[in-house]
Amino acid sequence: MQAMAGRRKSQMSHEAAVVSPRWTPVLATRDDLPKILALYEQVWGPGRSLDYLGWKLFDAPFEPLPPMLAMDGDACVGLYAVVATPMILDGQPIMGCQSVDTMTHPDYRRQNMSVTLARACYEVAKRRGFRLVYGMPNENSYPMFMKHLDWVKTDDMLRWVRPLAARRLPAFLAEPANRIIRAHALRGEIRSAIVSRVTAETRFVVPRAMPVAARCHVDKSAAWLQWRYAAEPGGAYQTYLTGDPDFPDALIVFEEIRETGVPPVLLVQEWLARDTHLRLKAMKGLVALAARRGCGSVVLYTNDPQAGILLRGALFLPRPGMPIGATGFGPDKAKTPLKPGQIVLMGGDKD
């Protein structure tokens, strides 16, 4: 009996040793990029380059905040990554960050790895003076952020859609309906607008933007736009500029999403203007451009109620999007903008 108990105790100790964490949280450096890429490919499959991950995880301007890794010896077996993001809070510049990638090697699941890495990352962020983290967690990670990382759901990021092609209609009805939709869209055309492809040499000129009513938003400086769109390896962004190129009325950053067998979608990332009238005019001009290109729709993600009013005026329709969550750091955590409408985000503010 004692021998059996001893064997059972030995077996339990062995099992505990097997499932106990063998990994250590480590703040990443650029030298870790090959190991990080290997983890991405193991968990999410191929499709990313070292240059892309270097840009995304290490090159954000102002105050880089590298990802937190789970290292088992020389192997990277887990990652929690944020992107350092300059923001405006109550009229003052702060540093925030966007939660972007969370992953665990399949052999290391159910070890509380993601929560441990995220908490370690937040401690680094707090020491470096960051004020908040925000993100749009998917349905798998949402419970973790809300239950274990002190996040609060602040809002919903709606998907606004301007249809440019009739769907679910018989062909004999769809063709005349599409002509009517296209003709109406072309009424907003701005022939003087400048459309350019974004390259590494692009230098953004930001309109003297109208005030944002919300307490907190991403600081859309030229330096931020330069990193976000011009520096991205493999990026395929374009700009739509109205007014004087040196003192623009409006600036829209967009990309065309193409999939086999369906019309392309024109996806808006940024929508800046000097006032609401010029903002609406520019969006109608972009819709006309999309119609000329044969796009099936124009899509923009935002939770900004002011933008929503204008989008309705341009015949956009709101569709369900994704939840926005956030939490704060440091001694001013109680002042973190966590109520609905206090943080407004636009297209390119999400990964």
Side-chain angles (χ1 to χ4, degrees), residues 135-216:
M136 280 130 277
N138 60 34
E139 60 183 10
N140 293 325
S141 60
Y142 184 89
M144 177 192 78
F145 284 98
M146 300 300 160
K147 293 180 182 178
H148 302 294
L149 294 175
D150 198 29
W151 279 43
V152 173
K153 180 186 174 183
T154 67
D155 223 330
D156 286 297
M157 189 87 154
L158 297 180
R159 180 170 62 95
W160 290 86
V161 180
R162 168 63 193 267
L164 290 173
R167 297 183 178 181
R168 301 184 181 88
L169 288 178
F172 73 95
L173 291 176
E175 186 174 343
N178 287 340
R179 286 199 297 267
I180 294 172
I181 293 171
R182 185 173 184 273
H184 185 275
L186 290 174
R187 290 169 56 187
E189 188 170 28
I190 304 175
R191 296 188 179 277
S192 61
I194 301 171
V195 181
S196 305
R197 294 196 174 275
V198 175
T199 69
E201 288 71 41
T202 298
R203 294 294 176 264
F204 286 91
V205 181
V206 182
R208 188 178 68 252
M210 57 190 180
V212 178
R215 287 185 58 199
C216 187

Side-chain angles (χ1 to χ4, degrees), residues 5-339:
R7 285 196 300 272
R8 185 179 297 116
K9 182 176 181 181
S10 175
Q11 183 180 9
M12 291 174 62
S13 297
H14 174 70
E15 290 175 351
V18 170
V19 301
S20 62
R22 306 187 303 271
W23 45 270
T24 304
V26 176
L27 191 64
T29 70
R30 272 189 167 275
D31 292 340
D32 295 312
L33 271 172
K35 300 171 186 177
I36 293 172
L37 177 60
L39 179 66
Y40 272 84
E41 292 179 342
Q42 172 71 36
V43 178
W44 289 347
R48 298 159 192 83
S49 66
L50 285 175
D51 286 343
Y52 173 81
L53 290 180
W55 164 80
K56 179 178 180 178
L57 302 179
F58 293 96
D59 291 346
F62 309 109
E63 181 64 38
L65 187 58
M68 189 66 64
L69 308 180
M71 298 297 297
D72 185 354
D74 289 333
C76 177
V77 298
L79 172 143
Y80 178 76
V82 299
V83 172
T85 306
M87 307 185 80
I88 301 296
L89 174 59
D90 295 330
Q92 300 298 318
I94 65 164
M95 281 306 302
C97 52
Q98 179 191 175
S99 180
V100 289
D101 292 340
T102 305
M103 66 185 70
T104 302
H105 189 284
D107 295 340
Y108 291 77
R109 290 173 181 160
R110 298 182 181 87
Q111 296 183 25
N112 206 38
M113 180 181 289
S114 295
V115 172
T116 301
L117 295 181
R119 287 174 176 168
C121 179
Y122 296 170
E123 284 300 314
V124 174
K126 182 168 65 174
R127 290 197 301 269
R128 295 188 178 185
F130 283 71
R131 292 283 302 276
L132 62 87
V133 59
Y134 75 88
M136 280 130 277
N138 60 34
E139 60 183 10
N140 293 325
S141 60
Y142 184 89
M144 177 192 78
F145 284 98
M146 300 300 160
K147 293 180 182 178
H148 302 294
L149 294 175
D150 198 29
W151 279 43
V152 173
K153 180 186 174 183
T154 67
D155 223 330
D156 286 297
M157 189 87 154
L158 297 180
R159 180 170 62 95
W160 290 86
V161 180
R162 168 63 193 267
L164 290 173
R167 297 183 178 181
R168 301 184 181 88
L169 288 178
F172 73 95
L173 291 176
E175 186 174 343
N178 287 340
R179 286 199 297 267
I180 294 172
I181 293 171
R182 185 173 184 273
H184 185 275
L186 290 174
R187 290 169 56 187
E189 188 170 28
I190 304 175
R191 296 188 179 277
S192 61
I194 301 171
V195 181
S196 305
R197 294 196 174 275
V198 175
T199 69
E201 288 71 41
T202 298
R203 294 294 176 264
F204 286 91
V205 181
V206 182
R208 188 178 68 252
M210 57 190 180
V212 178
R215 287 185 58 199
C216 187
H217 61 91
V218 176
D219 186 0
K220 304 301 175 85
S221 67
W224 173 254
L225 297 178
Q226 176 72 24
W227 172 79
R228 178 65 181 83
Y229 301 106
E232 179 183 338
Y237 302 104
Q238 301 176 56
T239 57
Y240 182 89
L241 194 78
T242 64
D244 187 331
D246 295 322
F247 303 96
D249 292 334
L251 169 66
I252 298 177
V253 180
F254 67 95
E255 59 183 320
E256 284 189 28
I257 309 299
R258 295 182 174 271
E259 296 181 4
T260 304
V262 296
V265 173
L266 198 150
L267 179 64
V268 177
Q269 301 286 14
E270 303 291 349
W271 182 25
L272 305 170
R274 292 196 290 113
D275 59 40
T276 55
H277 170 74
L278 294 171
R279 198 181 195 198
L280 177 59
K281 181 180 178 181
M283 182 55 70
K284 290 181 176 180
L286 185 75
V287 168
L289 175 69
R292 285 210 176 275
R293 292 186 176 185
C295 293
S297 61
V298 180
V299 174
L300 182 153
Y301 287 85
T302 188
N303 70 317
D304 184 353
Q306 290 183 329
I309 293 171
L310 297 179
L311 289 169
R312 290 183 187 277
L315 302 184
F316 281 71
L317 303 173
R319 296 287 184 262
M322 58 200 75
I324 300 171
T327 191
F329 309 130
D332 293 326
K333 182 177 179 178
K335 299 179 182 178
T336 304
L338 299 178
K339 295 181 180 179

